[in-house]
Amino acid sequence: MDLSKFFDRVQHDVLMARVSRKVHDKRLLKLIGRYLRAGIMADGLHQASTEGTMQGGLLSPLLSNIYLDDLDKELEQRGLPFVRYADDFVIFTKTKVAAQRVYASVEHFLSERLKLTVNHDKSSIRPADGLEYVGYEFRGFGGQIRVSAKKLDAFKKRVSEFFRKNRGVSMKSRYAEYRRYALGWLGYFALDQVKTTFTNLDKWLRRRVRACYWKQWKKSQTRLKKLISLNVSHRVARGFAMSGKGASRLSTTSGVQRALSNEYLAAEGMFNLEERWHSLASLRRNA
Protein backbone atom coordinates (compact mmCIF):
# COMPACT_ATOMS: atom_id res chain seq x y z
CA MET A 1 0.00 0.00 0.00
CA ASP A 2 1.05 3.55 -0.76
CA LEU A 3 -0.60 6.63 0.72
CA SER A 4 -1.63 9.41 -1.62
CA LYS A 5 0.40 12.61 -1.08
CA PHE A 6 0.99 11.61 2.53
CA PHE A 7 3.45 14.35 3.44
CA ASP A 8 1.16 16.94 1.83
CA ARG A 9 -2.03 15.85 3.57
CA VAL A 10 -1.08 14.97 7.15
CA GLN A 11 -3.62 16.63 9.45
CA HIS A 12 -1.81 18.84 11.96
CA ASP A 13 -4.34 18.39 14.77
CA VAL A 14 -4.34 14.60 14.38
CA LEU A 15 -0.55 14.54 14.31
CA MET A 16 -0.10 16.83 17.32
CA ALA A 17 -2.60 14.77 19.31
CA ARG A 18 -0.42 11.72 18.76
CA VAL A 19 2.83 13.55 19.51
CA SER A 20 1.37 14.86 22.78
CA ARG A 21 0.74 11.29 23.97
CA LYS A 22 4.47 10.91 24.56
CA VAL A 23 5.80 14.48 24.64
CA HIS A 24 4.61 16.52 27.62
CA ASP A 25 6.96 19.49 27.33
CA LYS A 26 4.72 22.34 26.17
CA ARG A 27 7.66 24.29 24.79
CA LEU A 28 8.67 21.39 22.54
CA LEU A 29 5.08 20.85 21.41
CA LYS A 30 4.83 24.54 20.54
CA LEU A 31 8.07 24.34 18.58
CA ILE A 32 6.86 21.33 16.56
CA GLY A 33 3.59 23.11 15.88
CA ARG A 34 5.42 26.17 14.59
CA TYR A 35 7.56 23.92 12.41
CA LEU A 36 4.45 22.40 10.85
CA ARG A 37 2.81 25.79 10.24
CA ALA A 38 5.99 27.52 9.01
CA GLY A 39 4.71 27.59 5.44
CA ILE A 40 6.66 28.21 2.25
CA MET A 41 7.82 31.08 0.05
CA ALA A 42 6.22 31.05 -3.41
CA ASP A 43 7.00 33.84 -5.88
CA GLY A 44 8.28 35.96 -3.02
CA LEU A 45 5.09 35.56 -0.97
CA HIS A 46 4.59 33.58 2.22
CA GLN A 47 2.01 30.80 2.08
CA ALA A 48 0.84 29.33 5.36
CA SER A 49 0.79 25.55 5.91
CA THR A 50 -2.58 24.23 7.07
CA GLU A 51 -1.73 20.55 6.57
CA GLY A 52 1.21 18.33 5.68
CA THR A 53 4.88 18.30 6.65
CA MET A 54 7.98 19.43 4.79
CA GLN A 55 9.10 16.77 2.32
CA GLY A 56 12.82 16.22 2.78
CA GLY A 57 12.74 17.88 6.20
CA LEU A 58 14.73 16.13 8.91
CA LEU A 59 11.72 15.90 11.21
CA SER A 60 9.22 14.60 8.63
CA PRO A 61 10.19 10.87 8.70
CA LEU A 62 10.00 10.85 12.50
CA LEU A 63 6.61 12.59 12.47
CA SER A 64 5.34 10.13 9.87
CA ASN A 65 6.25 7.24 12.17
CA ILE A 66 4.41 8.91 15.05
CA TYR A 67 1.38 9.59 12.86
CA LEU A 68 1.19 5.99 11.60
CA ASP A 69 1.92 4.35 14.95
CA ASP A 70 -1.81 3.65 15.36
CA LEU A 71 -1.72 1.71 12.08
CA ASP A 72 1.21 -0.36 13.33
CA LYS A 73 -0.63 -1.16 16.55
CA GLU A 74 -3.78 -2.08 14.62
CA LEU A 75 -1.91 -4.51 12.38
CA GLU A 76 -0.10 -6.01 15.37
CA GLN A 77 -3.43 -6.59 17.16
CA ARG A 78 -4.74 -8.40 14.09
CA GLY A 79 -1.65 -10.60 14.00
CA LEU A 80 -0.72 -9.50 10.49
CA PRO A 81 2.94 -9.66 9.41
CA PHE A 82 3.91 -6.32 7.87
CA VAL A 83 6.81 -3.99 7.17
CA ARG A 84 6.52 -0.21 6.90
CA TYR A 85 8.92 2.53 5.85
CA ALA A 86 7.39 6.00 6.38
CA ASP A 87 4.16 6.02 4.31
CA ASP A 88 4.97 2.93 2.23
CA PHE A 89 4.12 -0.47 3.68
CA VAL A 90 3.54 -4.13 2.80
CA ILE A 91 1.14 -6.48 4.59
CA PHE A 92 1.47 -10.24 4.16
CA THR A 93 -1.45 -12.69 4.12
CA LYS A 94 -1.71 -16.40 3.31
CA THR A 95 -4.34 -16.18 0.57
CA LYS A 96 -5.58 -13.74 -2.06
CA VAL A 97 -9.03 -13.70 -0.46
CA ALA A 98 -7.51 -12.72 2.88
CA ALA A 99 -5.45 -10.03 1.13
CA GLN A 100 -8.58 -8.53 -0.44
CA ARG A 101 -10.34 -8.47 2.93
CA VAL A 102 -7.33 -6.89 4.68
CA TYR A 103 -6.87 -4.32 1.91
CA ALA A 104 -10.45 -3.11 2.29
CA SER A 105 -10.40 -3.02 6.09
CA VAL A 106 -7.03 -1.25 6.30
CA GLU A 107 -8.13 1.34 3.75
CA HIS A 108 -11.24 2.01 5.86
CA PHE A 109 -9.10 2.35 9.01
CA LEU A 110 -6.75 4.81 7.31
CA SER A 111 -9.54 7.00 5.96
CA GLU A 112 -11.72 7.01 9.10
CA ARG A 113 -9.13 7.08 11.88
CA LEU A 114 -6.17 8.86 10.27
CA LYS A 115 -7.89 10.88 7.52
CA LEU A 116 -5.55 9.46 4.87
CA THR A 117 -6.17 8.33 1.30
CA VAL A 118 -4.75 5.21 -0.33
CA ASN A 119 -3.06 5.72 -3.69
CA HIS A 120 -4.74 2.98 -5.75
CA ASP A 121 -2.38 3.45 -8.71
CA LYS A 122 0.63 2.54 -6.56
CA SER A 123 -1.11 -0.01 -4.33
CA SER A 124 -1.91 -3.58 -5.28
CA ILE A 125 -2.70 -7.13 -4.21
CA ARG A 126 -0.03 -9.41 -5.60
CA PRO A 127 2.19 -12.41 -4.80
CA ALA A 128 5.20 -11.69 -2.61
CA ASP A 129 7.53 -13.45 -5.05
CA GLY A 130 9.34 -10.78 -7.05
CA LEU A 131 8.08 -7.89 -4.95
CA GLU A 132 10.59 -5.02 -4.68
CA TYR A 133 10.47 -2.93 -1.53
CA VAL A 134 12.92 -0.29 -0.21
CA GLY A 135 15.77 -1.76 -2.26
CA TYR A 136 15.08 -5.40 -1.43
CA GLU A 137 13.34 -8.11 -3.42
CA PHE A 138 11.27 -10.98 -2.03
CA ARG A 139 11.87 -14.28 -3.82
CA GLY A 140 10.21 -17.65 -3.65
CA PHE A 141 7.30 -18.95 -1.60
CA GLY A 142 9.14 -18.39 1.68
CA GLY A 143 9.85 -14.76 0.93
CA GLN A 144 13.65 -14.96 0.81
CA ILE A 145 15.09 -11.45 1.03
CA ARG A 146 17.61 -10.36 -1.62
CA VAL A 147 19.13 -7.07 -2.76
CA SER A 148 17.12 -6.01 -5.81
CA ALA A 149 18.72 -6.16 -9.26
CA LYS A 150 18.34 -2.38 -9.61
CA LYS A 151 20.31 -1.75 -6.43
CA LEU A 152 23.04 -4.20 -7.45
CA ASP A 153 23.40 -2.36 -10.76
CA ALA A 154 23.53 0.98 -8.93
CA PHE A 155 26.25 -0.38 -6.61
CA LYS A 156 28.37 -1.53 -9.54
CA LYS A 157 27.94 1.77 -11.35
CA ARG A 158 29.04 3.74 -8.28
CA VAL A 159 32.00 1.50 -7.47
CA SER A 160 33.11 1.49 -11.10
CA GLU A 161 33.75 5.21 -10.71
CA PHE A 162 36.18 4.55 -7.84
CA PHE A 163 38.12 2.00 -9.89
CA ARG A 164 37.97 3.56 -13.32
CA LYS A 165 41.12 2.39 -15.13
CA ASN A 166 42.21 5.79 -16.44
CA ARG A 167 41.56 7.66 -13.20
CA GLY A 168 44.66 9.46 -11.91
CA VAL A 169 44.28 8.47 -8.26
CA SER A 170 46.42 6.13 -6.15
CA MET A 171 45.07 2.68 -5.34
CA LYS A 172 45.32 3.49 -1.63
CA SER A 173 42.91 6.41 -2.10
CA ARG A 174 40.56 4.24 -4.15
CA TYR A 175 40.51 1.56 -1.47
CA ALA A 176 39.68 4.17 1.19
CA GLU A 177 36.84 5.63 -0.91
CA TYR A 178 35.43 2.21 -1.59
CA ARG A 179 35.62 1.13 2.05
CA ARG A 180 33.63 4.16 3.21
CA TYR A 181 30.97 3.60 0.57
CA ALA A 182 30.80 -0.19 1.02
CA LEU A 183 30.44 0.02 4.81
CA GLY A 184 27.39 2.25 4.47
CA TRP A 185 25.91 0.22 1.62
CA LEU A 186 26.35 -3.08 3.45
CA GLY A 187 25.05 -1.58 6.67
CA TYR A 188 21.72 -1.26 4.87
CA PHE A 189 21.75 -4.35 2.63
CA ALA A 190 23.18 -6.85 5.13
CA LEU A 191 19.68 -8.34 5.52
CA ASP A 192 20.20 -10.14 2.19
CA GLN A 193 19.99 -13.81 3.12
CA VAL A 194 22.23 -15.27 0.39
CA LYS A 195 26.02 -15.27 0.70
CA THR A 196 26.61 -15.44 -3.06
CA THR A 197 25.24 -11.92 -3.47
CA PHE A 198 28.35 -10.59 -1.78
CA THR A 199 30.71 -13.31 -3.03
CA ASN A 200 29.87 -12.41 -6.62
CA LEU A 201 30.28 -8.68 -5.98
CA ASP A 202 33.73 -9.32 -4.46
CA LYS A 203 34.75 -11.39 -7.51
CA TRP A 204 33.47 -8.72 -9.90
CA LEU A 205 35.39 -5.99 -8.08
CA ARG A 206 38.64 -7.95 -7.90
CA ARG A 207 38.61 -8.21 -11.69
CA ARG A 208 38.20 -4.43 -11.97
CA VAL A 209 40.95 -3.80 -9.44
CA ARG A 210 43.39 -6.10 -11.25
CA ALA A 211 42.62 -4.25 -14.47
CA CYS A 212 43.44 -0.97 -12.69
CA TYR A 213 46.84 -2.27 -11.60
CA TRP A 214 47.55 -3.55 -15.09
CA LYS A 215 46.63 -0.21 -16.62
CA GLN A 216 48.84 1.65 -14.13
CA TRP A 217 51.84 -0.52 -14.98
CA LYS A 218 51.49 0.65 -18.65
CA LYS A 219 54.70 -0.52 -20.31
CA SER A 220 55.55 -4.15 -21.03
CA GLN A 221 58.86 -4.01 -19.12
CA THR A 222 57.14 -2.55 -16.06
CA ARG A 223 54.53 -5.29 -16.20
CA LEU A 224 57.20 -7.94 -16.54
CA LYS A 225 59.10 -6.65 -13.50
CA LYS A 226 55.92 -6.36 -11.42
CA LEU A 227 54.78 -9.88 -12.24
CA ILE A 228 58.20 -11.35 -11.41
CA SER A 229 58.28 -9.40 -8.12
CA LEU A 230 54.93 -10.98 -7.29
CA ASN A 231 56.31 -14.53 -7.64
CA VAL A 232 55.31 -15.26 -11.24
CA SER A 233 58.04 -17.12 -13.19
CA HIS A 234 59.92 -15.17 -15.86
CA ARG A 235 58.61 -17.41 -18.65
CA VAL A 236 54.97 -17.03 -17.64
CA ALA A 237 55.33 -13.35 -16.76
CA ARG A 238 56.87 -12.55 -20.15
CA GLY A 239 53.90 -14.10 -21.98
CA PHE A 240 51.41 -11.92 -20.14
CA ALA A 241 53.55 -8.76 -20.12
CA MET A 242 53.99 -8.84 -23.91
CA SER A 243 50.34 -9.63 -24.60
CA GLY A 244 48.38 -7.14 -26.69
CA LYS A 245 45.10 -7.99 -24.96
CA GLY A 246 43.28 -5.31 -22.98
CA ALA A 247 43.49 -4.81 -19.22
CA SER A 248 39.96 -6.13 -18.60
CA ARG A 249 40.65 -9.33 -20.52
CA LEU A 250 44.02 -9.95 -18.87
CA SER A 251 42.55 -9.33 -15.38
CA THR A 252 40.77 -12.70 -15.70
CA THR A 253 43.86 -14.70 -16.67
CA SER A 254 45.67 -17.08 -14.35
CA GLY A 255 48.99 -15.21 -14.39
CA VAL A 256 47.54 -11.86 -13.34
CA GLN A 257 45.26 -13.50 -10.78
CA ARG A 258 48.21 -15.42 -9.36
CA ALA A 259 50.26 -12.23 -9.02
CA LEU A 260 47.43 -10.03 -7.73
CA SER A 261 45.94 -12.73 -5.53
CA ASN A 262 43.02 -12.27 -3.16
CA GLU A 263 45.47 -12.22 -0.26
CA TYR A 264 47.63 -9.56 -1.93
CA LEU A 265 44.63 -7.32 -2.63
CA ALA A 266 43.41 -7.73 0.96
CA ALA A 267 46.85 -6.77 2.27
CA GLU A 268 46.79 -3.70 0.02
CA GLY A 269 43.55 -2.59 1.69
CA MET A 270 40.72 -4.01 -0.39
CA PHE A 271 37.48 -4.27 1.61
CA ASN A 272 35.78 -7.68 1.54
CA LEU A 273 31.98 -7.59 1.40
CA GLU A 274 31.45 -11.28 2.12
CA GLU A 275 33.53 -11.23 5.31
CA ARG A 276 31.74 -8.14 6.58
CA TRP A 277 28.35 -9.69 5.75
CA HIS A 278 29.29 -12.81 7.75
CA SER A 279 30.26 -10.72 10.78
CA LEU A 280 27.02 -8.72 10.65
CA ALA A 281 24.98 -11.91 10.27
CA SER A 282 26.77 -13.35 13.32
CA LEU A 283 25.94 -10.26 15.36
CA ARG A 284 22.25 -10.57 14.44
CA ARG A 285 22.16 -14.25 15.42
CA ASN A 286 23.74 -13.49 18.81
CA ALA A 287 21.60 -10.41 19.52
Side-chain angles (χ1 to χ4, degrees), residues 1-284:
M1 267 187 166
D2 182 85
L3 301 177
S4 180
K5 297 182 178 179
F6 173 76
F7 289 101
D8 294 332
R9 295 179 175 174
V10 167
Q11 300 294 308
H12 290 172
D13 55 344
V14 178
L15 173 58
M16 291 306 299
R18 281 156 177 73
V19 173
S20 63
R21 293 174 183 173
K22 297 292 184 180
V23 178
H24 306 294
D25 187 327
K26 293 183 178 180
R27 295 172 300 171
L28 181 54
L29 290 171
K30 184 178 180 180
L31 181 61
I32 295 173
R34 292 179 64 182
Y35 168 85
L36 293 172
R37 296 188 298 273
I40 60 171
M41 294 296 292
D43 298 324
L45 299 175
H46 176 263
Q47 292 183 2
S49 299
T50 58
E51 61 181 2
T53 68
M54 296 179 184
Q55 290 202 40
L58 296 176
L59 195 58
S60 294
L62 176 60
L63 293 176
S64 71
N65 283 337
I66 294 172
Y67 196 94
L68 292 170
D69 187 57
D70 284 1
L71 171 64
D72 296 345
K73 296 296 189 293
E74 176 71 14
L75 297 177
E76 288 170 359
Q77 287 181 357
R78 298 188 191 185
L80 292 168
F82 72 96
V83 56
R84 180 177 65 78
Y85 183 83
D87 62 326
D88 190 10
F89 56 95
V90 180
I91 304 171
F92 298 91
T93 62
K94 292 183 178 180
T95 67
K96 184 176 181 179
V97 173
Q100 291 169 336
R101 183 177 67 251
V102 169
Y103 186 106
S105 62
V106 169
E107 182 175 13
H108 181 265
F109 176 87
L110 289 168
S111 61
E112 293 299 316
R113 289 280 298 276
L114 299 180
K115 311 302 180 185
L116 297 172
T117 303
V118 172
N119 185 336
H120 293 283
D121 292 334
K122 294 184 178 180
S123 302
S124 64
I125 296 172
R126 53 154 299 164
D129 185 27
L131 171 68
E132 289 188 30
Y133 181 72
V134 293
Y136 283 96
E137 182 177 329
F138 295 91
R139 298 184 189 176
F141 179 76
Q144 187 182 66
I145 302 173
R146 304 290 302 275
V147 180
S148 73
K150 291 180 182 178
K151 294 301 180 182
L152 288 175
D153 288 343
F155 174 86
K156 289 183 176 181
K157 184 176 180 180
R158 183 75 177 93
V159 172
S160 293
E161 288 298 310
F162 298 145
F163 294 99
R164 198 170 66 245
K165 291 190 289 293
N166 59 353
R167 187 179 175 213
V169 179
S170 71
M171 292 302 296
K172 184 176 181 180
S173 297
R174 299 181 195 221
Y175 285 136
E177 287 179 321
Y178 173 60
R179 181 181 179 83
R180 287 193 296 269
Y181 176 74
L183 280 170
W185 187 86
L186 193 57
Y188 183 81
F189 285 111
L191 293 176
D192 188 306
Q193 298 171 310
V194 181
K195 180 182 72 172
T196 54
T197 300
F198 309 100
T199 305
N200 292 336
L201 286 176
D202 282 331
K203 289 179 179 178
W204 166 82
L205 182 57
R206 282 194 291 267
R207 289 194 294 270
R208 290 199 67 87
V209 169
R210 288 176 180 126
C212 285
Y213 278 106
W214 196 256
K215 192 73 174 180
Q216 286 186 347
W217 293 345
K218 293 183 180 180
K219 296 181 180 180
S220 298
Q221 287 302 316
T222 302
R223 291 171 176 174
L224 178 62
K225 291 178 181 178
K226 288 288 187 181
L227 289 174
I228 293 174
S229 71
L230 292 169
N231 299 319
V232 178
S233 68
H234 185 279
R235 180 182 62 82
V236 174
R238 182 174 177 79
F240 287 108
M242 301 304 172
S243 173
K245 295 177 182 178
S248 297
R249 175 67 183 87
L250 285 167
S251 68
T252 64
T253 59
S254 60
V256 176
Q257 289 183 358
R258 196 181 316 150
L260 300 172
S261 64
N262 296 357
E263 294 74 20
Y264 175 84
L265 297 179
E268 286 285 288
M270 185 171 170
F271 180 76
N272 188 287
L273 287 169
E274 183 188 335
E275 289 181 2
R276 180 64 176 174
W277 176 79
H278 270 300
S279 65
L280 291 174
S282 178
L283 287 175
R284 288 199 302 272

